[in-house]
Amino acid sequence: MTLSDSVRTVALVVACVPLVLLTGCPQDQSASPGKTSAQTTAPAITQASSTTASQSGQAASSTEQSVDSSARAFKVQQLINSAEAAYRSGVDNYRAGRLDAARLDFDSAVDLMLTSGMDLKADPQLADEFDHLLNAVNSLEMAALKQGNGFSPKIEEAPLDTAEDLTFPANPELTAKLKAELQISSDLPLVINDQVAGYIGYFANSPSFHAHMLRSMERAGKYKTMIQSALTAQGVPQDLIYLAVAESGFQPQVLNAKSGAGGMWQFMPTGAYGLARNGYFDERFDPEKSSIAYARYMKTLYNQFGDWYLAMAAYDWGPGNVQRAVQRTGYADFWELYRRNALPKETRDYVPKILAAVIMAKNPEKYGLDKMVPDEPVVSDTVSVDYAIDLRLVADVTNSSLPEIVALNPSLLRMTTPGDMPFDLHIPIGTHDVFTERLKEIPQDKRSTWRFHVVRSGESLDGIVTSLHAHMSDVVAANGLSANDGVDTGDELVIPVTAAASTRPQRYTVHHGDTLVTVSDRFGVSVEELRRWNHLSSSAVRPGASLAVAEPVKLAPGTHVHGRGSRKRSGSRTVSTSVHQGSAHPSSGRAASKASGSSTTSKPAGKKSSHAAKPSSGTKTKKKATR
């Protein structure tokens, strides 16, 4: 039934209500008309009329509610159909190799849901559809697509994934030797038994594992202080940091394409971790927020089981599964459950492998890990924004590069922050004040499209306008210049850019007759930029080649398929902000659900309206660079 049919039905029902009130309800045919008692005559009629009116009113009200419900259902279905159409168009464009068009389609599908004005959480059908879109767009192919280029850093395999499905015969001599040689002091109850010794022996003789382990320990330098702070705050052992060696190799954007688990701690998209997830960002990929969630979750598991080995097993398999194994056997002891085969093989191996990695990391000289140089810690200023701002503009006003801004904000899935909710934006250390000061020159509703430029030596106003795809008249007006004014090195310019120009293609397919010069002219970039972005050693380009014509950046999480690929996780579906409970990552086919610093001061040389796009004054009010 269409909406118009429903409305006509309501009108008909309402029109019939007076007839119902006049005729009343059918009388009881068992009563003889001549034998009706006096005292029941008048009251009976009045009561019947009142009851009939009430029932009729309720019927009309019920029908109106039914129409409202039908209208809402119709609106919901229209929204879902539109989102699905945009998504299917994206899939078609993706398969045809039209990657930029596909990315816009996928963003459009999610935007349709987010901007619909409907409560996505309250409606189960909308919640299911929105979750479906998020999972599809962030799946293996779509995550790779949203990177927009082929030059993003490759996600390395997590070291412990190289040791799947191994079994080790008992070797008392090796176990005794390792016990005698190795330092095993830790705030975790480390143990060297036959199972742990077997993995230490295997890892020690595996060149690939050594390379993976070494790189993981180097990468840990970026986040070690931050993770340790989160663990300390929850009062849990510091050596729990080494679970990241197994889960991600300390890579914050790892995504398990089969299970959907993501981030440094491989949390599922559903689970009780307090991490928000929507069409703009996914906090599972935020190193700090996910580490805080990890520390809290491990503390919860330990409080439940009173044993760190069982807590680690529950992290892998799910607390409900471990609890049932304990109840079934009567043993709240990991090694006893191990001996009784009460755990799936992956979980039985998970704890010994982590213990082996911890022990090796605490004995770096013995295992050739002492010469590694940890990566520099990631530090940044943090600003909370509740408006949409393009990351290119963020790079402009902080005098940094787009890849640098993207790297500081690994949880962002788009080139812009959300426009209707707060977001903690990380910017280079020491740029908080200059960021705030320069943004005053750009109206808030223009920050998702406009640009900012500090004039470099040798640049002309005409060249700047051309390179940023703006119009000279707009730039002159926005900066209070006259048409004949020139620019000096260090001048700060606001660059009004149209939305269409700001979303220009990221890649271009070379045609016959194209050269790097013609391509650079077409997209307003330099030949040297094209060479650098595409790793070209010469100016030769062949027809059919795909060139990056905008600076390659990494936005969406990279994909990484764990060796334990057969594991699956399930759980309740959620919408915008997901709060989840269960195992932290897929397990054995079973499942369960799992920034400030110093700043510089801006000292403008002139003044300019901070909100008006086109000041009326023609007076030159350029500002010297503040940084």
Side-chain angles (χ1 to χ4, degrees):
M1 178 182 291
T2 66
L3 180 58
S4 59
D5 292 335
S6 300
V7 172
R8 283 196 293 271
T9 300
V10 174
L12 182 60
V13 170
V14 173
C16 292
V17 169
L19 295 178
V20 175
L21 294 175
L22 287 175
T23 57
C25 296
Q27 300 299 312
D28 185 357
Q29 298 303 313
S30 62
S32 172
K35 296 181 180 180
T36 305
S37 61
Q39 61 259 54
T40 63
T41 304
I45 294 174
T46 304
Q47 185 175 0
S49 299
S50 175
T51 301
T52 302
S54 175
Q55 291 175 343
S56 299
Q58 290 175 358
S61 175
S62 176
T63 306
E64 290 173 357
Q65 290 175 356
S66 176
V67 172
D68 289 342
S69 178
S70 297
R72 176 175 172 76
F74 179 74
K75 186 177 179 181
V76 166
Q77 192 57 54
Q78 277 193 318
L79 176 59
I80 290 175
N81 291 343
S82 298
E84 284 292 327
Y87 172 73
R88 286 194 298 271
S89 174
V91 173
D92 291 341
N93 279 320
Y94 172 74
R95 290 173 177 167
R98 298 185 290 269
L99 302 186
D100 290 303
R103 179 166 49 175
L104 291 175
D105 283 336
F106 292 134
D107 284 349
S108 175
V110 176
D111 284 340
L112 282 169
M113 303 288 288
L114 290 174
T115 61
S116 66
M118 304 182 74
D119 190 344
L120 302 184
K121 295 181 184 179
D123 189 300
Q125 193 175 4
L126 288 178
D128 188 72
E129 174 66 16
F130 188 69
D131 201 50
H132 157 71
L133 282 176
L134 290 185
N135 288 334
V137 173
N138 284 293
S139 67
L140 173 62
E141 292 182 337
M142 303 318 163
L145 168 65
K146 282 176 71 66
Q147 294 178 23
N149 61 85
F151 310 118
S152 298
K154 182 181 178 182
I155 297 294
E156 299 177 16
E157 184 180 22
L160 272 63
D161 285 351
T162 62
E164 291 297 321
D165 301 322
L166 297 179
T167 56
F168 304 105
N171 189 335
E173 292 182 2
L174 174 62
T175 302
K177 180 173 182 292
L178 292 176
K179 284 182 178 180
E181 292 179 352
L182 299 182
Q183 166 62 253
I184 60 171
S185 62
S186 170
D187 52 2
L188 274 174
L190 298 182
V191 63
I192 297 180
N193 54 23
D194 289 337
Q195 290 77 27
V196 176
Y199 278 110
I200 292 177
Y202 171 79
F203 291 152
N205 293 286
S206 169
S208 62
F209 173 80
H210 181 269
H212 286 311
M213 183 75 173
L214 187 65
R215 186 67 193 106
S216 292
M217 299 305 293
E218 290 174 341
R219 201 158 36 229
K222 295 181 180 180
Y223 314 108
K224 185 175 182 179
T225 300
M226 176 266 295
I227 297 173
Q228 287 178 331
S229 176
L231 296 173
T232 299
Q234 295 302 315
V236 297
Q238 291 288 301
D239 282 343
L240 284 175
I241 189 175
Y242 294 106
L243 261 74
V245 174
E247 296 299 335
S248 65
F250 292 96
Q251 299 171 101
Q253 286 196 316
V254 168
L255 180 69
N256 188 314
K258 290 188 177 181
S259 70
M264 189 183 299
W265 305 105
Q266 286 294 279
F267 285 129
M268 283 296 290
T270 53
Y273 320 118
L275 298 173
R277 174 175 172 264
N278 53 51
Y280 287 90
F281 58 84
D282 189 330
E283 290 181 346
R284 294 180 300 158
F285 307 118
D286 184 300
E288 182 174 14
K289 291 183 178 179
S290 66
S291 293
I292 292 172
Y294 164 70
R296 288 173 176 166
Y297 186 52
M298 290 304 295
K299 182 177 182 178
T300 298
L301 294 177
Y302 178 76
N303 289 341
Q304 179 177 349
F305 295 102
D307 179 89
W308 287 114
Y309 294 162
L310 287 179
M312 285 188 276
Y315 187 82
D316 181 71
W317 191 27
N321 292 322
V322 173
Q323 186 66 52
R324 284 187 287 275
V326 169
Q327 292 172 343
R328 188 170 60 251
T329 63
Y331 288 95
D333 177 85
F334 174 81
W335 298 112
E336 190 61 39
L337 296 180
Y338 185 106
R339 285 188 287 272
R340 292 172 176 270
N341 290 319
L343 304 169
K345 178 167 174 40
E346 180 203 296
T347 305
R348 293 173 71 234
D349 295 343
Y350 183 77
V351 174
K353 284 195 292 188
I354 290 175
L355 295 180
V358 173
I359 291 170
M360 293 178 71
K362 297 183 79 67
N363 291 268
E365 299 86 357
K366 174 72 174 177
Y367 297 104
L369 302 172
D370 54 325
K371 300 297 191 296
M372 67 93 182
V373 179
D375 292 349
E376 289 293 321
V378 175
V379 292
S380 67
D381 285 351
T382 303
V383 290
S384 181
V385 296
D386 56 3
Y387 51 83
I389 180 170
D390 192 285
L391 299 189
R392 286 173 282 249
L393 177 59
V394 176
D396 292 343
V397 298
T398 58
N399 286 357
S400 55
S401 68
L402 182 56
E404 184 179 359
I405 298 301
V406 169
L408 287 174
N409 296 278
S411 68
L412 270 178
L413 303 175
R414 303 196 183 193
M415 287 288 286
T416 179
T417 61
D420 57 354
M421 65 185 77
F423 180 78
D424 290 334
L425 179 68
H426 299 291
I427 57 178
I429 193 75
T431 64
H432 181 281
D433 286 357
V434 74
F435 173 90
T436 303
E437 184 65 26
R438 285 174 169 175
L439 277 189
K440 291 178 181 177
E441 307 298 332
I442 300 178
Q444 186 168 300
D445 64 340
K446 304 298 184 184
R447 293 174 186 175
S448 61
T449 54
W450 285 20
R451 300 289 299 274
F452 183 92
H453 187 79
V454 179
V455 180
R456 295 186 289 268
S457 177
E459 287 187 319
S460 67
L461 184 59
D462 184 66
I464 294 169
V465 170
T466 300
S467 66
L468 293 177
H469 302 271
H471 298 292
M472 179 64 77
S473 59
D474 294 338
V475 174
V476 167
N479 292 276
L481 304 174
S482 66
N484 298 323
D485 280 337
V487 290
D488 301 322
T489 300
D491 284 347
E492 298 180 348
L493 301 175
V494 172
I495 311 293
V497 180
T498 63
S502 68
T503 56
R504 63 195 176 97
Q506 303 294 303
R507 300 194 69 79
Y508 173 72
T509 301
V510 177
H511 301 293
H512 287 284
D514 277 337
T515 65
L516 284 188
V517 174
T518 61
V519 174
S520 66
D521 287 344
R522 177 170 184 166
F523 293 100
V525 297
S526 70
V527 171
E528 285 307 313
E529 285 175 324
L530 287 178
R531 283 178 178 159
R532 185 173 75 254
W533 297 339
N534 294 279
H535 304 283
L536 300 175
S537 56
S538 70
S539 297
V541 287
R542 58 179 179 77
S546 179
L547 293 180
V549 292
E551 188 166 14
V553 296
K554 182 183 178 70
L555 287 177
T559 56
H560 166 68
V561 181
H562 283 278
R564 43 184 181 271
S566 63
R567 302 184 303 173
K568 297 179 181 178
R569 310 183 215 190
S570 63
S572 60
R573 293 181 135 188
T574 57
V575 198
S576 270
T577 301
S578 299
V579 229
H580 325 287
Q581 178 66 40
S583 73
H585 53 81
S587 171
S588 308
R590 313 178 186 240
S593 331
K594 306 203 207 183
S596 70
S598 59
S599 56
T600 59
T601 302
S602 175
K603 297 182 179 179
K607 292 185 178 180
K608 170 170 50 174
S609 170
S610 61
H611 299 292
K614 296 185 177 183
S616 57
S617 171
T619 306
K620 183 175 180 180
T621 57
K622 297 179 295 179
K623 296 171 69 177
K624 286 294 182 182
T626 57
R627 189 170 173 261

